[in-house]
Amino acid sequence: MRFGKEFVSQTIPEWQEAYINYAYLKTILQDVQASRKNCDSNSQSTPSLARNLTRRYNRDASVSENHDIVVNTVTQDDEELETTTTTAYETTFLKAGEAGGDFEVTFFRTLDREFNKVNNFYRQKVETARNEALALNKQMDALIAFRHKVMDDKTPSAFDSVSVDINGLASEVGSSSKAREHRVALADLMRSDDTSKESILERIRMNKTREITPLSAIKTILKVRKQDELKFTRENLREVEKRLQIAFIEFYQKLRHLKNYSFLNACAVSKIMKKYDKVAKRYAAKLYMEMVDSSYLSSSDEVHKLLLKVESTFIEHFSNSNRRQGMSLLRPKIHKERHLITFSTGFFFGCGISLIVALGLIIHARNIMGTPGQRTYMETMFPLYRFFGFVVLHMIMYAANIYFWKRYRVNYSFIFGFKQGTELNYRQVLLLSFGLGTLSLCAVLLNLDMEMDAETKDYRTVTELVPLFLLVLVIAIVLCPLNILYRSSRYFFLAILFRCIAAPFYTVHLPDFFLADQLTSQVQALRSLEFYICYYGFGDFRHRRRNTCRSNVGFATFYFIVAVIPYWLRLLQCIRRLMEEKELCHGYNAIKYLLTIVAACLRTAYTLNRGITWNITAWVFSGVATFYGTYWDIVVDWGLLQRGCKNSLLRDKLLVPHKNVYYAAMVLNVLLRLVWLQTVLDLKFSFLHRETIVALLACLEIIRRGIWSFFRLENEHLNNVGRYRAFKTVPLPFNYEEDGNHNN
């Protein structure tokens, strides 16, 4: 792999603007090379020197007349750092009068600007890391004192044990003056140590967690008084240790990224200077790299010292001095791609295609579409199986999003908050989706019998229960406590799903409302789950009919409710964010979901009742909701249609290099949002059953949601890039009184 591609692949996506612009410097060198070709042949350097860079760099530095550049050090004010001045570097090109020299002047001016940017950014981040290290050091002092206090309450104090040892020592050596002095010194040392710990505990308070759980929300409503004092219990100790462990791991990752940032940029400067010497036939690389080596970027060892300090502290206090265990937590192993996953994905894909072909051939050979039971099948069995089709399609869209997020360096694992090393790649998601699709198609083949028993007038119970068995199997796999089939990802999904359901009681984060938005595109899947309950609960599966479900008032009522639930959850999330963050945009977003709820109810009512009044009302509210939602998707969620940007009707920063992709996405979003027109226009196709049309429209909505998901996360990533936000903010457990009460 060439250095340019390797350099880009190893950069931190959120810091991409803070790195050396290696690609742009290469384009300037291309101009230099073009200008050199037009120079007089007499000005060319010795060919052997042009080819042998090593000998060139080792030339005697005493030959000052051969120097092509002079690097000067200047000081300048920097308001972002605590120090009043910072060091900057300016390079003077001594041979600007030569032919093509203006391009070389531009090269060094750009290189200086880029290097000064990198050097200052690194200095700022190291300063921030130093402050965080001081804060963590104080947290560790508090943890040690807290742990000492908790252990003293449960076991004999360390002072008592030392006193026993001292008395034993004194009994052995008699009443000598040295023994008495030793005993008094150790006793004073332990007393002073206990006094210092007590003084620390007097100055700290436990930071209140900002997370509001359902229990804490109920206590707030019931006005149950909270105990704010510091409780020295083992439960609190475990909580403090867990939070500090996470803080240390996150801080360690920051330091590793900083070290990598320094190394990559120094390598980039070295590589570009070697290219410059080769292209321009100069001897400037050695002198410039001497400046780089003496700069703060390369000479500072603070990050290395902090790394060693974090390792020693973490291993001692969080892994019982077990270095292997501690380093495995600080540096989790990256799971390598297994060929078995690729093979299994292809195997299930091939099985799925084969089953689809077989299904089509069986339908054609038996003329199943022309049998009397075809209509009954479409109204009973088809709604049961289409649930799995919706899930498989959504998973395929998610896998496609992961692929393109990876390709265009969208840090989706950081945005979603996945634990390092547990996020699924697109092959793993495709494996799950194709596996589920293969199981579903096998089950469909078992239920193609359209004829009932001539004597009992019933269908075979075993085959009629196949969809239910498949659903139970899928639910069992999702809830399985065994460490199989990506347990961490399954539990993460369940945790976020629970937070969506309990929307008013939890602080809303991006994974919460992102999943809730996905659920709004799975209304028909939720209705299929409702039909499962009715179809098997009332025993209609024995005769393959849905008369009970149609005539049941409760089923019709929940038919409305199920369509509203996902939008209602998003509405509650918007209200919660409005109350916490005090930003009006969340209120406007809540209005969008309120309009969607009204429109969905009216369209459902029109589907069940018909009538001109329902039709007109559904038209009006659906139109308003569609216009509002489309505007919000494109302008707010995607950040497009910005005025005055360099990319017409888009935004200044685009990750996808082809602008037409964005224009096509906007058009598709508008068209796919208009699928509700089929409901109010009541379009009918003689060759398609009504349930088939509903399924196709639901698939179009899932595809629209998949497209929306890519650009939504791209916009979120660009917002993180603009703020250089590449790490999670971990709340610390303790708050010192002198630090103020801002963390309370």
Side-chain angles (χ1 to χ4, degrees):
M1 182 184 294
R2 291 191 174 185
F3 177 77
K5 293 183 178 180
E6 184 179 358
F7 177 73
V8 173
S9 66
Q10 294 188 21
T11 57
I12 303 172
E14 289 78 8
W15 288 1
Q16 59 186 11
E17 294 184 357
Y19 283 85
I20 291 285
N21 196 337
Y22 186 78
Y24 181 61
L25 290 170
K26 284 182 63 177
T27 59
I28 300 178
L29 284 184
Q30 292 174 0
D31 295 335
V32 173
Q33 186 176 22
S35 67
R36 295 290 297 181
K37 289 182 179 179
N38 297 328
C39 293
D40 183 41
S41 59
N42 294 330
S43 64
Q44 295 181 357
S45 301
T46 306
S48 60
L49 292 179
R51 290 192 300 265
N52 194 333
L53 295 179
T54 304
R55 288 179 57 191
R56 179 190 309 166
Y57 296 158
N58 294 329
R59 287 175 60 90
D60 189 357
S62 62
V63 189
S64 59
E65 62 271 14
N66 289 335
H67 286 175
D68 299 312
I69 61 172
V70 174
V71 183
N72 301 312
T73 303
V74 297
T75 57
Q76 60 184 13
D77 295 334
D78 194 333
E79 298 178 355
E80 297 183 5
L81 294 175
E82 293 182 359
T83 54
T84 56
T85 60
T86 57
T87 302
Y89 301 96
E90 293 181 358
T91 303
T92 302
F93 181 60
L94 301 179
K95 299 181 180 180
E98 294 184 0
D102 52 342
F103 291 107
E104 298 181 60
V105 171
T106 302
F107 170 78
F108 281 107
R109 185 182 298 118
T110 305
L111 181 61
D112 288 341
R113 183 176 65 250
E114 292 294 314
F115 181 77
N116 289 328
K117 174 190 70 177
V118 168
N119 196 44
N120 291 334
F121 181 83
Y122 182 71
R123 189 191 299 270
Q124 294 173 20
K125 292 302 178 182
V126 171
E127 182 69 24
T128 303
R130 189 187 301 116
N131 294 332
E132 292 183 15
L134 293 175
L136 285 176
N137 190 42
K138 295 173 68 176
Q139 295 288 318
M140 283 305 304
D141 291 340
L143 172 62
I144 294 172
F146 192 95
R147 185 182 291 168
H148 183 270
K149 179 68 174 178
V150 172
M151 296 306 175
D152 278 356
D153 291 342
K154 304 296 181 181
T155 59
S157 67
F159 177 73
D160 293 338
S161 62
V162 172
S163 298
V164 172
D165 292 339
I166 294 173
N167 291 331
L169 177 64
S171 63
E172 291 179 6
V173 298
S175 58
S176 64
S177 59
K178 290 184 178 180
R180 286 195 299 271
E181 291 176 359
H182 186 63
R183 179 175 60 187
V184 172
L186 285 177
D188 290 341
L189 178 62
M190 293 302 301
R191 289 193 188 96
S192 63
D193 185 62
D194 287 344
T195 303
S196 64
K197 288 183 173 61
E198 290 295 334
S199 64
I200 292 176
L201 293 176
E202 291 175 357
R203 294 185 290 115
I204 64 172
R205 292 290 181 271
M206 287 281 291
N207 278 334
K208 299 176 184 177
T209 175
R210 295 184 178 181
E211 188 65 70
I212 299 179
T213 62
L215 180 60
S216 63
I218 293 174
K219 288 182 177 181
T220 303
I221 296 173
L222 298 178
K223 298 182 179 179
V224 177
R225 184 177 180 182
K226 296 181 180 180
Q227 301 294 330
D228 294 334
E229 64 270 13
L230 190 63
K231 290 185 177 181
F232 301 99
T233 62
R234 289 187 179 273
E235 291 76 16
N236 282 346
L237 177 61
R238 283 193 293 268
E239 180 185 352
V240 168
E241 289 176 338
K242 180 180 178 181
R243 292 169 66 180
L244 263 183
Q245 181 178 353
I246 296 174
F248 266 92
I249 293 174
E250 191 67 22
F251 181 61
Y252 188 78
Q253 297 303 320
K254 292 181 184 179
L255 295 176
R256 291 186 65 192
H257 282 307
L258 271 176
K259 188 174 182 180
N260 183 64
Y261 176 85
S262 171
F263 174 76
L264 275 182
N265 282 287
C267 285
V269 176
S270 175
K271 289 287 185 180
I272 203 66
M273 285 304 302
K274 288 181 181 180
K275 287 182 178 293
Y276 168 77
D277 276 7
K278 183 178 180 179
V279 168
K281 298 179 176 58
R282 305 288 187 188
Y283 308 110
K286 180 181 178 182
L287 186 60
Y288 200 90
M289 289 309 299
E290 288 177 355
M291 178 274 294
V292 173
D293 293 338
S294 63
S295 66
Y296 187 85
L297 180 72
S298 301
S299 63
S300 175
D301 61 347
E302 291 189 57
V303 172
H304 180 68
K305 291 180 179 178
L306 286 175
L307 280 169
L308 297 178
K309 179 64 176 176
V310 171
E311 289 177 2
S312 62
T313 303
F314 189 88
I315 292 171
E316 179 182 356
H317 294 284
F318 297 104
S319 60
N320 297 322
S321 299
N322 187 329
R323 180 172 180 81
R324 177 177 295 181
Q325 178 184 354
M327 293 307 296
S328 65
L329 293 173
L330 290 174
R331 297 185 180 182
K333 294 181 179 179
I334 300 176
H335 298 286
K336 295 182 179 180
E337 186 70 28
R338 295 181 179 179
H339 297 295
L340 179 61
I341 294 177
T342 304
F343 171 79
S344 302
T345 303
F347 173 76
F348 283 120
F349 177 75
C351 290
I353 296 298
S354 301
L355 289 172
I356 292 174
V357 173
L359 185 62
L361 293 176
I362 292 174
I363 292 175
H364 177 72
R366 296 184 182 179
N367 193 24
I368 290 178
M369 300 303 295
T371 59
Q374 180 265 343
R375 182 177 181 85
T376 303
Y377 184 91
M378 293 302 298
E379 292 181 351
T380 54
M381 305 306 295
F382 183 75
L384 299 177
Y385 283 119
R386 73 182 181 189
F387 167 80
F388 302 103
F390 295 151
V391 174
V392 169
L393 178 60
H394 213 135
M395 294 176 67
I396 292 175
M397 293 301 298
Y398 178 62
N401 281 330
I402 292 177
Y403 173 80
F404 287 108
W405 286 333
K406 276 283 189 181
R407 179 174 180 178
Y408 296 112
R409 295 182 55 74
V410 175
N411 197 353
Y412 71 96
S413 59
F414 167 71
I415 295 174
F416 286 140
F418 293 142
K419 186 178 179 181
Q420 187 176 6
T422 63
E423 68 274 10
L424 300 181
N425 59 35
Y426 75 94
R427 288 189 179 91
Q428 293 168 323
V429 177
L430 285 177
L431 172 62
L432 295 175
S433 60
F434 291 153
L436 177 59
T438 301
L439 285 176
S440 304
L441 289 170
C442 289
V444 170
L445 288 174
L446 296 175
N447 284 111
L448 282 181
D449 186 10
M450 298 294 175
E451 302 295 332
M452 67 176 62
D453 189 275
E455 297 180 359
T456 63
K457 303 299 182 182
D458 288 346
Y459 289 84
R460 285 180 292 180
T461 303
V462 176
T463 57
E464 294 302 300
L465 289 175
V466 168
L468 182 61
F469 290 153
L470 182 58
L471 179 64
V472 172
L473 176 63
V474 171
I475 296 175
I477 292 175
V478 173
L479 300 177
C480 179
L482 301 179
N483 192 14
I484 57 175
L485 292 176
Y486 314 116
R487 182 179 62 177
S488 59
S489 297
R490 290 189 283 109
Y491 279 18
F492 181 85
F493 168 77
L494 292 174
I496 300 302
L497 181 62
F498 176 77
R499 292 170 63 93
C500 290
I501 297 173
F505 304 110
Y506 284 95
T507 299
V508 181
H509 303 292
L510 187 141
D512 305 328
F513 66 75
F514 188 86
L515 179 59
D517 277 324
Q518 305 302 311
L519 293 178
T520 60
S521 296
Q522 287 286 6
V523 170
Q524 295 302 329
L526 297 177
R527 283 175 169 169
S528 293
L529 290 177
E530 179 196 7
F531 184 67
Y532 264 97
I533 298 173
C534 179
Y535 187 69
Y536 288 103
F538 290 104
D540 288 350
F541 70 95
R542 295 186 181 92
H543 306 285
R544 193 178 281 187
R545 63 186 181 187
R546 55 182 299 179
N547 296 337
T548 306
C549 296
R550 284 182 174 179
S551 60
N552 189 278
V553 178
F555 180 83
T557 303
F558 276 97
Y559 197 76
F560 278 89
I561 296 176
V562 166
V564 168
I565 287 176
Y567 300 103
W568 176 252
L569 296 179
R570 280 297 287 126
L571 175 64
L572 294 179
Q573 288 178 340
C574 293
I575 294 175
R576 175 63 188 263
R577 296 188 72 184
L578 176 64
M579 295 175 62
E580 284 190 342
E581 302 175 18
K582 310 298 182 184
E583 296 181 4
L584 289 178
C585 63
H586 301 309
Y588 299 142
N589 201 14
I591 295 175
K592 180 188 73 173
Y593 290 104
L594 181 61
L595 288 172
T596 306
I597 289 173
V598 175
C601 289
L602 291 174
R603 290 200 299 269
T604 305
Y606 172 70
T607 302
L608 297 176
N609 302 314
R610 302 300 177 181
I612 298 178
T613 303
W614 288 114
N615 185 278
I616 295 176
T617 310
W619 259 104
V620 173
F621 278 91
S622 296
V624 174
T626 300
F627 176 79
Y628 202 139
T630 303
Y631 173 83
W632 196 273
D633 285 347
I634 297 175
V635 177
V636 180
D637 289 341
W638 295 358
L640 302 178
L641 295 181
Q642 294 182 1
R643 295 181 179 179
C645 64
K646 61 182 181 181
N647 300 309
S648 178
L649 297 178
L650 301 177
R651 52 173 128 82
D652 289 331
K653 297 179 181 178
L654 302 174
L655 295 184
V656 181
H658 307 290
K659 298 180 183 179
N660 292 335
V661 173
Y662 295 91
Y663 296 124
M666 288 191 288
V667 173
L668 276 176
N669 186 75
V670 174
L671 295 177
L672 294 178
R673 268 195 173 273
L674 296 177
V675 296
W676 57 267
L677 282 174
Q678 191 278 334
T679 306
V680 294
L681 292 176
D682 196 22
L683 299 176
K684 295 181 180 180
F685 303 92
S686 58
F687 58 92
L688 289 177
H689 191 274
R690 178 180 174 277
E691 294 295 337
T692 305
I693 297 176
V694 171
L696 290 176
L697 296 179
C699 291
L700 291 176
E701 170 59 21
I702 293 173
I703 294 173
R704 186 197 70 82
R705 181 59 62 182
I707 298 172
W708 174 90
S709 299
F710 172 81
F711 294 103
R712 175 65 183 88
L713 229 65
E714 180 206 26
N715 190 39
E716 183 70 21
H717 172 76
L718 291 175
N719 291 334
N720 290 337
V721 170
R723 299 191 297 266
Y724 298 104
R725 183 175 178 268
F727 308 101
K728 294 184 294 185
T729 301
V730 180
L732 299 176
F734 296 112
N735 179 38
Y736 281 77
E737 290 183 350
E738 60 265 26
D739 295 336
N741 297 323
H742 57 278
N743 291 327
N744 287 353

